[in-house]
């Protein structure tokens, strides 16, 4: 059997996001050949190995967000000793909203090689299934848990032209969709993907208003990915936008900041043009 892992090299491996049959041949062989496996959840790793009928002979080390700073030196020691070190998380790719980044930085800073075994991705799976334009997209991770902080994150994204992708807990999905409806507009197209690749996989598509209503009246279950269409460019004259600038300034925003914010969402109008008009209107 060809070796999948090199001695003294840190390997990151993507694991299935639901269906164990999505595991790659390279992942199976890496699990069999590793000397040390750093796993986000050792019990989940044991279940995956059982599903794949893999016998793990490696030392298995718990490695998650609460102990990765403490455990990373152990990974470097193993690399120094020429061991084959593998990092896996509960599902999907390490580093992407999961542990692994600290280890990669530490390994590269110390001069060790790093490599990746690609595989399933909840981000790309949800994007492909959403029916929303995939040309340019931005992965935004998990939104903040608190309403105020969540709104402060969504507001600057309101005029983002790229498709936006978020992870979310089922317990907070209704609150997040409601906040998105307020920040992005009730008619913005979106999709909620749940339990991807699993038996009860479901992708719901509609406006943010429709999806927020659905979540408010449903017991949302499973792993959630939310895909939101990018903002459509607006085109208006500076004169048409003057009232919006003045209203924002009247509510306490600095005039320059108000002009910049309004200009960001409107093609063909500059912040300087809006600022000068607003300044003249105030005189």
């Amino acid at each position: 059997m060809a070796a999948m892992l090199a001695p003294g090299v840190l390997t990151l491996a993507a694991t299935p996001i639901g269906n164990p049959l999505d595991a790659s041949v390279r992942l199976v062989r890496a699990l069999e050949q590793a000397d040390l496996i750093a796993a986000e959840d050792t019990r989940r790793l044991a279940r995956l190995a059982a599903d794949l009928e893999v016998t793990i002979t490696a030392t298995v080390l718990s490695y998650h967000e609460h102990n990765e700073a403490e455990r990373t030196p152990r990974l470097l020691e193993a690399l120094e000793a020429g061991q084959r070190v593998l990092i896996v998380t509960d599902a999907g790719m390490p580093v992407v909203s999961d542990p692994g980044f600290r280890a990669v930085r530490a390994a590269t800073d110390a001069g060790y090689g790093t490599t990746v075994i690609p595989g399933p991705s909840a981000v790309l799976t949800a994007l492909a299934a959403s029916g929303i334009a995939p040309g340019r997209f931005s992965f935004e991770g998990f939104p903040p848990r608190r309403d105020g902080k969540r709104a402060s994150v969504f507001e600057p994204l309101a005029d983002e032209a790229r498709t936006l992708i978020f992870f979310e807990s089922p317990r907070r999905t209704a609150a997040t969709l409601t906040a998105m409806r307020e920040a992005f507009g009730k008619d913005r197209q979106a999709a909620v993907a749940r339990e991807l690749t699993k038996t009860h996989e479901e992708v719901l598509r509609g406006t943010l208003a429709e999806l927020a209503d659905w979540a408010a009246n449903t017991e949302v279950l499973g792993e959630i990915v939310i895909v939101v269409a990018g903002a459509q460019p607006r085109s208006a004259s500076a004169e048409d936008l003057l009232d919006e600038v003045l209203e924002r300034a009247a509510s306490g925003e600095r005039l320059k900041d108000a002009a910049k914010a309004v200009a960001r969402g409107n093609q063909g109008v500059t912040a300087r043009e809006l600022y000068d008009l607003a300044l003249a209107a105030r005189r």
Side-chain angles (χ1 to χ4, degrees):
M1 181 184 297
M4 287 294 104
L5 305 181
V9 174
L10 178 68
T11 301
L12 309 176
T15 55
I17 60 176
N19 190 329
L21 294 178
D22 292 335
S24 69
V25 173
R26 288 183 67 194
L27 171 64
V28 170
R29 292 185 180 176
L31 292 172
E32 293 172 338
Q33 296 173 6
D35 297 310
L36 175 65
I37 300 176
E40 184 178 13
D41 187 326
T42 57
R43 293 168 298 180
R44 291 281 289 271
L45 174 62
R47 286 199 295 273
L48 177 63
D51 288 336
L52 300 177
E53 300 181 350
V54 170
T55 299
I56 292 177
T57 60
T59 299
V60 177
L61 182 72
S62 172
Y63 190 78
H64 49 72
E65 63 175 328
H66 301 298
N67 70 6
E68 59 178 322
E70 170 192 340
R71 296 284 170 86
T72 295
R74 173 71 178 85
L75 304 188
L76 296 185
E77 290 172 5
L79 293 172
E80 174 65 23
Q83 292 188 337
R84 295 167 294 187
V85 180
L86 179 68
I87 295 181
V88 295
T89 57
D90 288 352
M93 180 63 70
V95 177
V96 182
S97 284
D98 274 323
F101 176 71
R102 190 186 297 268
V104 172
R105 284 294 299 269
T108 55
D109 287 349
Y112 298 109
T114 60
T115 188
V116 175
I117 297 176
S121 164
V123 174
L124 297 180
T125 302
L127 177 62
S130 69
I132 293 172
R136 297 177 64 237
F137 65 90
S138 173
F139 173 58
E140 299 293 330
F142 283 91
R145 298 184 179 189
R146 296 183 181 178
D147 291 343
K149 289 187 177 180
R150 190 187 291 123
S152 69
V153 166
F154 290 161
E155 184 178 352
L157 295 173
D159 295 319
E160 173 58 63
R162 293 174 294 179
T163 295
L164 303 172
I165 304 173
F166 301 85
F167 286 163
E168 189 50 288
S169 157
R171 297 187 304 277
R172 295 189 293 274
T173 296
T176 291
L177 287 169
T178 298
M180 287 177 170
R181 180 186 63 194
E182 299 305 313
F184 303 149
K186 62 184 180 65
D187 296 324
R188 183 81 67 92
Q189 291 295 310
V192 175
R194 54 176 296 273
E195 294 291 86
L196 288 170
T197 77
K198 300 178 185 177
T199 302
H200 301 293
E201 174 179 301
E202 182 178 25
V203 180
L204 297 105
R205 305 171 184 85
T207 64
L208 283 173
E210 292 167 341
L211 293 173
D213 287 345
W214 163 80
N217 295 285
T218 305
E219 183 184 8
V220 181
L221 300 173
E223 302 292 331
I224 304 296
V225 185
I226 301 173
V227 183
V228 182
Q232 294 297 314
R234 292 178 289 174
S235 181
S237 69
E239 289 76 11
D240 292 335
L241 300 170
L242 177 59
D243 287 344
E244 185 179 351
V245 176
L246 293 173
E247 286 173 8
R248 294 179 73 125
S251 68
E253 201 168 345
R254 290 177 64 239
L255 189 60
K256 283 187 177 180
D257 292 338
K260 287 179 181 178
V262 174
R264 253 196 320 266
N266 293 275
Q267 290 185 334
V269 178
T270 67
R272 167 57 65 182
E273 187 179 5
L274 288 173
Y275 177 75
D276 290 343
L277 277 175
L279 202 60
R282 278 182 161 186
R283 292 171 182 164

